[in-house]
Amino acid sequence: MCAAYLRHLAADRYEPLSAALEPAAGVRLEAAAALSEDGVAVVDGAGTELTPELAAEVDRIITLGFTLNPEVARDVPREEWGIPEPAGRPMQEVRVIRDTIHRLVDRLVARLDTEAAVR
């Protein structure tokens, strides 16, 4: 959801990458339905594994519901948002998770835009 909202809100200003230590086989149905309700395009496909090599190529890591082992990306700035996993939850809860992620990504885009303007 986070990558979908970043792609939706920031257009081509930033390149989101959705990755996980144990990636899913595809977009969860609950997440896809909730994003679709909000008019956000969903790109399906197998998830990407977050390896130390991949982490070394990114500018920032956002974790939604877990704490990332610092050894995976020692020098990469990170944020931990503490968002629960939407899989298997009732749609009412998934919508709350979606809306929370939407607000957080909106704030992230504003911060990134400010940082880019200062450079």
Side-chain angles (χ1 to χ4, degrees):
M1 286 184 166
C2 186
Y5 271 114
L6 185 60
R7 194 171 12 269
H8 179 75
L9 295 170
D12 61 350
R13 295 193 311 277
Y14 309 107
E15 183 180 349
L17 171 66
S18 180
L21 297 175
E22 295 178 15
V27 176
R28 306 256 192 243
L29 294 177
E30 301 92 336
L35 289 167
S36 180
E37 287 177 357
D38 204 23
V40 176
V42 177
V43 178
D44 197 8
T48 301
E49 182 178 359
L50 181 60
T51 63
E53 295 78 20
L54 178 60
E57 296 179 24
V58 301
D59 296 317
R60 182 178 316 233
I61 294 175
I62 308 290
T63 59
L64 297 184
F66 65 93
T67 300
L68 183 63
N69 177 343
E71 296 304 314
V72 173
R74 180 178 300 278
D75 299 322
V76 180
R78 68 184 72 210
E79 297 179 30
E80 296 176 359
W81 288 356
I83 305 291
E85 170 66 45
R89 294 181 184 269
M91 276 307 291
Q92 183 175 358
E93 290 180 29
V94 176
R95 288 181 186 110
V96 170
I97 293 167
R98 174 203 63 201
D99 294 345
T100 301
I101 291 171
H102 187 166
R103 282 190 304 277
L104 290 168
V105 172
D106 193 41
R107 291 178 193 155
L108 174 64
V109 169
R111 286 194 327 265
L112 293 173
D113 287 347
T114 300
E115 290 172 14
V118 171
R119 289 184 197 151

